[in-house]
């Protein structure tokens, strides 16, 4: 399940999550937290869903279909974060439950601007991080959450330690915004005892819209398929490298990363019936 907001341009948010779930071989369910007015250039409007309705969507699916993993994206505000935390507890999602929870703390725009009020950042730290199996902040979100500017690998390690102190089982500090890594992109996984670096290529493209959503969704897909957290993160890293490699231009702004590299062109084959 993805618990997040919509993107009317189809590049990020729930659209990206559901495309990723399908590409990774799992069925996707959703709980909509906000509807955005958005295209490739930016967001011009946000309509939030009542918190009780967000929670009811989670419970409705969990009580019937069941959930093998869940991930959060744009949660829009403090009251929705509180409702999501309560719904997770009620339905066995996250710490203490059978369903792993990936928390992507969407708190900054592509340009690093803060998207959430300080009270909502507090709610992420106090309510969702202790319930999370894995948290997946980018470096702008690290700065907003713990006040640390990461400009080198040593600071990336310090950030992982500080974030782990907020309660998640695993922390994945993504390195895509680390401009000093001009030739590569290293994500850093920390479990409280050991670190694992996950290196990957850095592509010369501005078409990375939805990259964070897609990586978190691919990690959740791996967990849903029964992988351990480190295995799911490695699975997600392999997925997002190819999604960025195959990203494409769209509109006048930033195009999306693409799940389409996983799709066999069945329409080119001769029909068998």
């Amino acid at each position: 399940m993805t618990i997040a907001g919509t993107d009317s341009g189809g590049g990020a948010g729930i659209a990206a999550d559901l495309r990723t779930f399908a590409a990774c071989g799992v069925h996707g369910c959703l709980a909509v937290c906000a509807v955005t007015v958005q295209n490739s250039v930016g967001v011009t409007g946000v309509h939030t869903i009542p918190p009780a309705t967000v929670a009811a969507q989670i419970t409705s699916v969990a009580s019937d279909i069941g959930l093998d993993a869940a991930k959060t994206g744009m949660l829009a505000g403090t009251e929705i974060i509180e409702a999501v935390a309560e719904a997770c507890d009620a339905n066995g999602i996250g710490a203490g439950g059978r369903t792993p929870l990936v928390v992507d703390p969407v708190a900054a725009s592509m340009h690093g601007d803060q998207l959430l009020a300080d009270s909502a950042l507090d709610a992420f730290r106090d309510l969702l991080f202790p319930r999370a199996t894995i948290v997946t902040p980018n470096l702008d979100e690290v700065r907003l959450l713990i006040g640390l500017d990461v400009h080198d690998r040593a600071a990336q390690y310090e950030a992982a330690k500080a974030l782990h102190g907020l309660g998640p089982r695993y922390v994945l500090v993504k390195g895509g915004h680390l401009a000093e890594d001009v030739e590569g992109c290293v994500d850093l996984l920390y479990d409280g005892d050991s670190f694992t670096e996950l290196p990957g290529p850095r592509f010369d493209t501005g078409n990375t819209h939805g990259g964070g959503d897609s990586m978190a969704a691919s990690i959740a897909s791996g967990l849903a398929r029964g992988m351990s957290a480190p295995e799911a993160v490695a699975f997600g890293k392999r997925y997002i490298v190819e999604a960025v490699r195959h990203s494409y231009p769209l509109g006048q702004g930033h195009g999306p990363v693409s799940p389409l590299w996983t799709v066999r062109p069945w329409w080119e084959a001769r029909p068998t019936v």
Side-chain angles (χ1 to χ4, degrees):
M1 167 172 273
T2 171
I3 307 166
T6 69
D7 172 3
S8 48
I14 280 175
D17 292 340
L18 292 178
R19 294 196 304 173
T20 298
F21 290 160
C24 293
V26 299
H27 175 78
C29 302
L30 61 147
V32 181
C33 299
V35 175
T36 71
V37 180
Q38 186 173 172
N39 56 25
S40 69
V41 178
V43 180
T44 57
V46 178
H47 174 74
T48 58
I49 305 300
T53 302
V54 175
Q57 293 174 83
I58 297 169
T59 297
S60 179
V61 172
S63 64
D64 171 38
I65 299 170
L67 297 172
D68 292 315
K71 59 88 63 180
T72 66
M74 178 187 176
L75 299 183
T78 303
E79 292 183 352
I80 290 178
I81 294 173
E82 292 171 345
V84 168
E86 292 176 5
C88 285
D89 288 350
N91 292 286
I93 302 168
R98 65 168 295 275
T99 303
L101 175 64
V102 178
V103 174
D104 183 15
V106 178
S109 71
M110 289 190 67
H111 306 290
D113 298 323
Q114 184 169 333
L115 297 176
L116 294 175
D118 288 340
S119 60
L121 294 174
D122 289 337
F124 261 122
R125 288 186 288 258
D126 298 341
L127 298 177
L128 288 188
F129 275 39
R131 290 169 167 82
T133 306
I134 306 173
V135 297
T136 63
N138 62 34
L139 299 187
D140 289 320
E141 289 154 354
V142 167
R143 171 176 49 81
L144 293 172
L145 287 162
I146 60 173
L148 178 62
D149 281 313
V150 176
H151 293 293
D152 55 31
R153 185 79 63 246
Q156 193 176 11
Y157 274 70
E158 290 304 311
K161 291 179 183 178
L163 289 163
H164 193 270
L166 297 176
R169 286 183 57 201
Y170 292 85
V171 173
L172 181 69
V173 179
K174 297 178 293 189
H177 294 179
L178 189 56
E180 287 76 2
D181 277 354
V182 294
E183 296 183 355
C185 176
V186 178
D187 300 325
L188 182 67
L189 181 67
Y190 181 56
D191 65 3
D193 293 314
S194 61
F195 294 93
T196 302
E197 291 189 1
L198 294 100
R202 184 176 294 277
F203 300 103
D204 184 16
T205 178
N207 299 322
T208 57
H209 189 46
D213 302 326
S214 299
M215 186 172 193
S218 60
I219 292 170
S221 298
L223 293 171
R225 295 173 67 89
M227 298 178 190
S228 68
E231 289 171 338
V233 170
F235 175 81
K237 179 69 174 185
R238 294 195 301 272
Y239 174 82
I240 198 62
V241 165
E242 295 303 320
V244 176
R245 189 193 306 274
H246 292 85
S247 64
Y248 52 87
L250 189 72
Q252 302 175 60
H254 296 282
V257 302
S258 176
L260 300 178
W261 66 272
T262 65
V263 177
R264 178 180 61 86
W266 56 267
W267 54 87
E268 295 178 358
R270 290 186 61 183
T272 58
V273 294

